[in-house]
Amino acid sequence: YKDTKTVLDSALFFKEELNKYKVDTIVEESDISEFMKVNNFDYNHSYYASSFFIKDVIDKYNVDLFIDLHRDAIKRENSIVKINDKVCAKILFVVGGEHKNYKDNYELAKNINNSIIKKYPELSRGVLLKNGEGNNGIYNQDLAKNMILLEIGSHHTTYEEIKNTIVLLAPIIGEYLY
């Protein structure tokens, strides 16, 4: 992010917030870049590399919701909104449309997004279904029917803005799950 904090920092904060709502959370903290280097994977194989970690979690745990957390590459003015006198990072759900689970994942993303819109309509940038030439179309969402890719903010967003958003999202996700 803008102030050198990472998506991992955001994921760890998200975990803390979700735990407040009785949502047990696992954050993958492995160094995927190192894993890719050791296995001679280039950047284009990053989803393939991360699939090993996801499959391991699937084998070990019963997971109600997978959240693949990202940041977008959009302009700052498109990535923020003021809510309750705080600047928050906008969110976008991305669903790959080229795998067997895409309809389930698309419905899941739309349902969570609708819950968010009911409370904070300006927070969401919507649900984007990506398929076709030039798109990944999978994003490892073929591995589970309960997986969402959530983009929070952009590389122009501050960590504080990300945290403001997560504080709003955590109770909504907790309520959605339980």
Side-chain angles (χ1 to χ4, degrees):
Y1 295 105
K2 185 176 178 180
D3 49 11
T4 70
K5 290 287 191 173
T6 67
V7 174
L8 178 58
D9 293 318
S10 298
L12 293 170
F13 181 74
F14 209 169
K15 175 183 178 173
E16 290 174 23
E17 289 299 304
L18 287 169
N19 287 341
K20 290 178 184 177
Y21 299 95
K22 309 293 186 230
V23 178
D24 293 330
T25 308
I26 302 165
V27 174
E28 181 57 61
E29 296 184 56
S30 301
D31 187 341
I32 292 177
S33 297
E34 182 62 27
F35 179 80
M36 290 173 60
K37 183 178 173 185
V38 167
N39 290 285
N40 290 323
F41 295 150
D42 62 15
Y43 178 77
N44 293 330
H45 291 95
S46 55
Y47 276 101
Y48 177 69
S50 64
S51 73
F52 289 93
F53 298 97
I54 295 167
K55 289 174 186 175
D56 186 52
V57 169
I58 289 170
D59 289 343
K60 291 180 181 175
Y61 304 98
N62 181 18
V63 178
D64 294 324
L65 176 66
F66 288 92
I67 300 174
D68 185 5
L69 196 60
H70 289 256
R71 65 186 170 107
D72 207 343
I74 59 174
K75 294 179 182 178
R76 177 167 174 74
E77 59 266 20
N78 297 329
S79 69
I80 57 170
V81 63
K82 199 167 196 177
I83 299 174
N84 301 332
D85 294 323
K86 291 186 178 186
V87 178
C88 298
K90 287 187 169 190
I91 62 167
L92 173 70
F93 292 88
V94 178
V95 177
E98 296 185 10
H99 58 88
K100 66 183 186 287
N101 294 326
Y102 94 88
K103 288 181 182 176
D104 293 313
N105 290 328
Y106 189 52
E107 284 303 311
L108 173 64
K110 287 192 310 186
N111 288 336
I112 294 173
N113 188 57
N114 288 339
S115 296
I116 293 165
I117 288 172
K118 284 179 187 172
K119 292 189 178 194
Y120 311 106
E122 62 280 3
L123 185 62
S124 177
R125 293 176 41 226
V127 179
L128 177 62
L129 181 63
K130 292 186 88 169
N131 55 17
E133 192 172 329
N135 289 301
N136 176 302
I138 299 175
Y139 305 106
N140 283 333
Q141 294 169 354
D142 59 323
L143 301 176
K145 294 180 179 182
N146 55 343
M147 187 176 294
I148 58 173
L149 190 158
L150 182 60
E151 299 206 2
I152 303 179
S154 75
H155 57 287
H156 298 294
T157 312
T158 68
Y159 183 57
E160 191 65 29
E161 293 161 348
I162 300 298
K163 287 171 55 177
N164 291 341
T165 297
I166 289 170
V167 166
L168 299 177
L169 286 179
I172 293 170
I173 292 192
E175 184 179 299
Y176 180 82
L177 288 172
Y178 301 108

